[in-house]
């Protein structure tokens, strides 16, 4: 065996605890990279099975959808791995500085010192990378199995989707992905080892021998402090030691801070996702929903230049016929409503609107010939409920009702305002081709008078309920006594009127569905839970790499300070005072990591939350639970490592430590 390789191997055998930590760090980083790459391959296989071998015109978009998250996660893994593994090899090199000095004195060159460390890296990689690959594929296999458990439930909800699909991940072994994972892991580890190796080769033999095993660089800059009698000596020494510029501890603190940032920011994303899910879930008061939605296409009207919508509209007469058929099922009372969002615009002047509405729309409205064109939402109801609403409004059957309520997002807060004065009596409706008609407003309903079935989504400025007409979509809602039986019956009824014959939404030009009212929220909840599981698993494993670095750095620091601690004991410092000093150091180090990690993580959450609230008026709170967990773990890890390392030092003889180190 090469003498340099033998030296590296002997170092690995002698420093068993550090060897275990290094192998664990390399294996975890390799496992994470392997799992991320394999999930990307599995996702690609699923998408190709769904869309076909050729993604079509959206191939680039789907490829980026898979590659960008994988690239971001891979970059995070590589960055953390470089920080941690480089720190481990730096500590190994620092322990062997005296050895390097001796080797240089007997003729070893700088290159041979460099090769010694790199041989150590090679031996460790030979063991750790295969372990990491196996662990990565195991994680991927387990992850695919867990994903499919959730996807099975998602597939039971496909009746609410536009196309009947079957989502299923498959465990895919790709030699190319394996090669990429091994290469990236190997390059990452070797790059991390090169940094301390190059530093060690530049230190002169005299410096190596003179400094007693510590490199003469900025790594050990002593901080000057004045000892005073007002503060206990152990606390002053702890402050001095933490204030010194030790790169091992700086690296450990940074790794711990990065782990905090990831955990807090991911917890914030989970809070935001839950808020969006709650906002998008609306309770109509019914348990089963059947609907018809036409596919829309847009063209530009050559006469006016406006965008024109084309769709297979459903008439109020046909909708009423279907309502009657659905109501024939025993134990059901159907509420039917149809909506058309894009056929008409209402040209209005600012004076036609309330001051609150003018302020709300000041950045959204467009003007033509001094008038504002506001989108009109036309609503038609089944005859029974339309007649009931007319009676409530005090108008004759056949009148047009204005829903005088507009909901908008005011920097994260949902606001309801009345867009029109209660005295409004007419409106002009205009189509994209320039044709128009004047309508009489028979009644104006305020927010309290509007049925809750008509409150969602409530995003168009002008909303009217008409007695008849054609609309793009229609919904039938009910709470049957026998839900399963009714749903099967309703599917048969809709298939009679809207046969799809196996065609999807785009091919047929429409879709008809029957689903449970809670299916949308269930679908979103499953997606959030699934995403949260993988995000937290990733953060946990990446944080574990950082924690390994902290444990290694803290234990190394205490071990290299054995002589210092022994000297303190020899001049009268008790074991209790020594323990107080080290515990204080652990608190100060954890405080440093918290001072970096918590503000940055919370700032990221606040920025993301602010951006999301510009789109969705959601309730959002800082993930204080995650913050408390972060604080507890950060103090616990360093304090526990100090405790274990100190128990080892207590077993050593003070005189022998001073004499031998």
């Amino acid at each position: 065996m090469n003498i340099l390789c033998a030296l590296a191997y002997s170092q690995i055998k002698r420093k068993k605890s550090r060897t275990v930590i290094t192998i664990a760090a390399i294996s975890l980083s390799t496992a994470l990279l392997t799992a991320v790459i394999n999930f990307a391959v599995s996702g690609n296989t699923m998408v190709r099975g769904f869309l076909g071998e050729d993604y079509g015109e959206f191939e680039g978009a789907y490829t980026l959808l898979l590659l960008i998250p994988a690239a971001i996660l891979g970059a995070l893994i590589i960055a953390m791995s470089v920080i941690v593994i480089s720190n481990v090899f730096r500590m190994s090199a620092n322990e062997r500085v005296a050895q390097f000095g001796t080797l240089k004195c007997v003729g070893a060159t700088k290159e041979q010192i460099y090769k010694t460390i790199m041989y150590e890296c090679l031996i460790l990689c030979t063991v750790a990378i295969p372990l990491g690959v196996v662990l990565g594929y195991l994680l991927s296999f387990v992850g695919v199995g867990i994903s499919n458990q959730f996807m099975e439930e998602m597939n039971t909800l496909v009746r609410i989707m536009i196309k009947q699909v079957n989502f299923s991940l498959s465990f895919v072994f790709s030699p190319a992905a394996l090669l990429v994972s091994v290469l990236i892991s190997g390059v990452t580890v070797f790059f991390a080892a090169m940094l301390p190796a190059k530093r060690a080769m530049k230190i002169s033999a005299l410096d190596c021998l003179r400094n007693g095993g510590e490199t003469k660089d900025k790594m050990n800059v002593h901080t000057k402090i004045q000892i005073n009698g007002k503060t206990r000596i152990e606390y002053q020494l702890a402050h001095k030691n933490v204030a010194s510029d030790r790169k091992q501890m700086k690296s450990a603190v940074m790794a711990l801070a990065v782990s905090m940032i990831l955990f807090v920011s991911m917890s914030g994303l989970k809070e935001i996702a839950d808020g969006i899910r709650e906002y998008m879930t609306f309770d109509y008061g019914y348990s089963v929903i059947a609907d018809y939605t036409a596919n829309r296409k847009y063209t530009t009207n050559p006469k006016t230049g406006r965008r024109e919508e084309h769709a297979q509209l459903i008439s109020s007469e046909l909708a009423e016929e279907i309502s009657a058929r659905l109501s024939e099922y025993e134990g059901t009372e159907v509420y039917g409503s149809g909506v058309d969002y894009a056929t008409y615009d209402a040209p209005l002047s600012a004076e036609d609107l309330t001051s609150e509405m003018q302020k709300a729309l000041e950045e959204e409205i467009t003007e033509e010939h001094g008038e504002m064109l506001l989108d009109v939402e036309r609503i038609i109801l089944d005859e029974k409920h339309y007649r009931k609403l007319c009676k409530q409004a005090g108008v004759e059957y056949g009148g047009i009702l204005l829903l005088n309520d507009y909901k908008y997002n005011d920097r994260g807060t949902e606001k309801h305002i009345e867009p029109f004065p209660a005295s409004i009596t007419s409106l002009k409706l205009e189509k994209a081709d320039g044709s128009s008609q004047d309508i009489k407003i028979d009644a104006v309903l305020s927010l309290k008078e509007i049925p809750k079935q008509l409150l969602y989504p409530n995003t168009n400025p002008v909303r009217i309920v008409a007695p008849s007409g054609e609309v793009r979509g229609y919904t039938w809602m009910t709470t049957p006594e026998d839900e399963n039986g009714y749903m099967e019956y309703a599917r048969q009824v809709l298939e009679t009127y809207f046969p799809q014959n196996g065609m999807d939404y785009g091919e047929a030009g429409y879709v008809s569905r029957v689903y449970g009212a809670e299916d949308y929220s269930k679908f979103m909840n499953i997606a959030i839970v699934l995403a949260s599981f993988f995000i937290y698993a990733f953060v946990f494993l990446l944080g574990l790499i950082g924690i390994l670095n902290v444990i290694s750095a803290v234990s190394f620091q205490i071990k290299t300070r054995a002589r210092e601690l022994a000297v303190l004991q020899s001049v009268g410092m008790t074991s209790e005072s020594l323990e107080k000093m080290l515990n204080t150091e652990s608190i100060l180090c954890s405080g440093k990591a918290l001072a970096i990690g918590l503000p940055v993580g919370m700032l990221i959450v606040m920025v993301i939350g602010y951006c999301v609230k510009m789109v969705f008026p959601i309730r959002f709170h800082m993930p204080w639970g995650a913050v408390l967990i972060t604080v507890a773990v950060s103090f616990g890890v360093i304090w526990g490592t100090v405790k274990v390392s100190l128990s080892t030092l207590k077993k050593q003889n003070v005189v022998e430590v001073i004499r031998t180190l």
Side-chain angles (χ1 to χ4, degrees):
M1 181 185 290
N2 185 305
I3 183 65
L4 300 178
C5 185
L7 285 172
Y9 182 67
S10 66
Q11 174 71 10
I12 291 172
K13 288 180 63 178
R14 192 166 63 91
K15 302 293 183 181
K16 293 181 181 179
S17 60
R18 175 148 322 116
T19 298
V20 170
I21 290 176
T22 308
I23 290 175
I26 296 173
S27 298
L28 279 174
S29 63
T30 303
L32 282 173
L33 276 171
T34 303
V36 168
I37 292 173
N38 197 63
F39 262 109
V41 172
S42 298
N44 179 65
T45 302
M46 183 180 73
V47 173
R48 285 193 181 279
F50 174 50
L51 297 176
E53 286 299 317
D54 183 7
Y55 285 172
E57 62 178 311
F58 299 109
E59 179 178 4
Y62 285 113
T63 302
L64 289 175
L65 191 63
L66 292 170
L67 290 182
I68 288 178
I72 293 173
L73 294 178
L76 285 172
I77 295 168
I78 291 171
M80 180 68 86
S81 300
V82 169
I83 293 173
V84 173
I85 297 170
S86 178
N87 195 38
V88 172
F89 280 104
R90 184 185 296 114
M91 290 184 288
S92 176
N94 288 338
E95 279 188 326
R96 299 165 61 193
V97 168
Q99 182 190 97
F100 294 153
T102 303
L103 289 173
K104 288 182 178 182
C105 287
V106 297
T109 64
K110 293 180 178 180
E111 288 72 21
Q112 288 174 321
I113 299 298
Y114 175 82
K115 287 180 180 179
T116 301
I117 298 176
M118 298 311 293
Y119 271 125
E120 183 180 343
C121 173
L122 179 61
I123 294 170
L124 291 171
C125 283
T126 303
V127 176
I129 289 181
L131 284 175
V133 169
V134 173
L135 179 59
Y137 274 108
L138 179 62
L139 290 173
S140 180
F141 180 79
V142 172
V144 166
I146 293 173
S147 299
N148 286 331
Q149 291 295 320
F150 284 102
M151 286 184 180
E152 282 184 12
E153 190 171 354
M154 291 175 71
N155 288 329
T156 63
L157 304 176
V158 294
R159 60 180 176 269
I160 73 170
M161 302 180 69
I162 291 175
K163 184 176 181 179
Q164 300 291 313
V165 297
N166 184 52
F167 291 108
S168 178
L169 276 173
S170 57
F171 178 79
V172 178
F173 176 79
S174 169
L178 174 61
L179 180 61
V180 170
S181 176
V182 171
L183 284 176
I184 294 177
S185 299
V187 170
T188 299
V189 177
F190 274 90
F191 176 76
M194 282 172 56
L195 301 177
K198 287 186 175 181
R199 168 177 288 168
M201 66 183 285
K202 294 177 182 179
I203 304 170
S204 66
L206 182 61
D207 283 334
C208 288
L209 296 174
R210 181 172 57 194
N211 292 320
E214 293 185 352
T215 56
K216 184 181 179 181
D217 57 12
K218 295 180 180 179
M219 194 175 86
N220 288 311
V221 177
H222 297 287
T223 304
K224 295 181 180 180
I225 64 169
Q226 292 183 343
I227 303 298
N228 60 69
K230 295 181 180 180
T231 308
R232 294 181 67 104
I233 185 67
E234 55 264 30
Y235 299 132
Q236 296 182 61
L237 289 173
H239 175 69
K240 174 183 178 295
N241 291 328
V242 172
S244 63
D245 191 18
R246 292 187 174 95
K247 284 196 173 180
Q248 290 91 347
M249 289 309 298
K250 286 176 66 177
S251 175
V253 166
M254 185 56 64
L256 192 58
V258 170
S259 301
M260 295 176 187
I261 292 169
L262 286 173
F263 184 66
V264 172
S265 57
M266 292 303 105
S267 299
L269 282 176
K270 172 68 166 52
E271 291 278 342
I272 292 170
D274 287 338
I276 293 175
R277 176 179 56 81
E278 290 179 9
Y279 171 72
M280 296 183 68
T281 303
F282 184 80
D283 182 14
Y284 290 98
Y286 297 97
S287 62
V288 179
I289 297 175
D291 69 11
Y292 165 89
T293 304
N295 185 17
R296 53 183 163 188
K297 298 180 180 179
Y298 294 101
T299 61
T300 301
N301 188 280
K303 181 179 178 182
T304 62
R306 295 184 191 172
R307 192 173 71 162
E308 200 168 19
E309 182 184 270
H310 303 276
Q312 298 185 34
L313 304 179
I314 178 174
S315 67
S316 54
E317 291 78 15
L318 178 58
E320 184 63 28
E321 182 180 333
I322 296 173
S323 297
R325 288 280 306 277
L326 294 176
S327 298
E328 291 174 1
Y329 194 85
E330 185 178 357
T332 61
E333 180 180 348
V334 174
Y335 188 104
S337 67
V339 180
D340 172 57
Y341 291 103
T343 301
Y344 292 99
D345 292 316
L348 297 163
S349 63
E351 291 74 20
D352 296 325
L353 305 175
T354 62
S355 57
E356 288 180 311
M357 190 64 173
Q358 293 177 41
K359 183 179 179 181
L361 296 179
E362 60 185 357
E363 296 180 359
E364 302 178 25
I365 55 179
T366 59
E367 295 191 12
E368 290 187 11
H369 309 295
E371 292 181 321
M372 298 175 292
L373 287 175
L374 302 185
D375 295 330
V376 175
E377 175 184 334
R378 288 188 309 117
I379 301 170
I380 59 173
L381 302 177
D382 66 87
E383 184 177 358
K384 177 181 177 180
H385 291 93
Y386 171 68
R387 190 180 295 277
K388 181 178 178 181
L389 190 60
C390 287
K391 183 178 180 180
Q392 173 191 321
V395 299
E396 294 183 1
Y397 177 84
I400 294 179
L401 313 176
L402 176 67
L403 305 183
N404 200 21
D405 175 63
Y406 176 65
K407 178 181 70 177
Y408 72 101
N409 178 22
D410 183 21
R411 299 182 180 181
T413 302
E414 182 177 289
K415 285 195 172 182
H416 288 263
I417 60 174
E418 293 187 348
F420 301 97
S423 58
I424 186 171
T425 57
S426 65
L427 277 173
K428 180 180 180 182
L429 304 185
E430 194 171 281
K431 288 187 175 181
D433 61 7
S435 61
S436 63
Q437 60 173 309
D438 293 319
I439 62 170
K440 177 187 175 185
I441 302 298
D442 296 286
V444 179
L445 302 182
S446 63
L447 175 61
K448 294 181 179 179
E449 299 170 312
I450 300 174
K452 70 175 183 177
Q453 294 87 349
L454 304 182
L455 289 177
Y456 183 83
N458 186 10
T459 54
N460 281 42
V462 183
R463 307 180 72 221
I464 59 173
V465 178
S468 62
E470 292 184 324
V471 291
R472 175 177 169 252
Y474 202 95
T475 302
W476 298 269
M477 299 174 286
T478 186
T479 303
E481 296 176 0
D482 177 10
E483 287 190 9
N484 292 330
Y486 172 79
M487 291 172 76
E488 184 59 33
Y489 171 76
R491 289 192 188 98
Q492 294 176 4
V493 171
L494 292 185
E495 183 66 23
T496 302
Y497 290 93
F498 312 112
Q500 291 193 251
N501 301 318
M503 295 183 291
D504 64 17
Y505 182 57
E507 295 170 328
Y510 57 83
V511 65
S512 60
R513 307 168 296 181
V514 182
Y515 54 91
E518 296 182 355
D519 283 355
Y520 273 117
S521 58
K522 285 182 181 178
F523 190 92
M524 292 184 66
N525 190 56
I526 292 170
I528 291 172
V529 170
L530 185 60
S532 299
F533 172 80
F534 285 106
I535 286 173
Y536 279 116
F538 172 80
V539 171
F540 171 77
L541 292 174
L542 199 59
L544 188 58
I545 297 175
I547 289 172
L548 287 173
N549 184 41
V550 173
I551 294 172
S552 178
V554 172
S555 59
F556 171 76
Q557 283 290 81
I558 293 177
K559 186 174 182 180
T560 56
R561 293 168 58 196
R563 175 187 287 176
E564 172 196 334
L565 300 176
V567 170
L568 290 173
Q569 284 183 297
S570 69
V571 296
M573 181 175 278
T574 64
S575 297
E576 290 75 15
S577 295
L578 200 64
E579 188 170 352
K580 285 181 181 179
M581 181 187 76
L582 293 174
N583 286 335
T584 303
E585 288 183 22
S586 70
I587 292 173
L588 292 175
C589 287
S590 299
K592 276 189 172 182
L594 288 168
I596 298 171
L598 282 186
V600 174
M602 294 170 73
L603 180 62
I604 291 173
V605 172
M606 290 174 65
V607 170
I608 296 174
Y610 176 80
C611 294
V612 171
K613 289 178 76 171
M614 292 298 98
V615 181
F616 298 100
I618 62 172
R619 293 182 299 170
F620 168 71
H621 304 286
M622 187 63 64
W624 295 114
V627 171
L628 293 176
I629 292 172
T630 300
V631 173
V633 170
S634 63
F635 282 113
V637 168
I638 296 183
W639 180 84
T641 306
V642 169
K643 199 78 172 174
V644 172
S645 301
L646 188 59
S647 65
T648 304
L649 288 180
K650 285 181 179 179
K651 299 175 184 178
Q652 299 177 349
N653 184 282
V654 173
V655 176
E656 291 297 324
V657 171
I658 295 175
R659 188 188 333 181
T660 56
L661 286 179

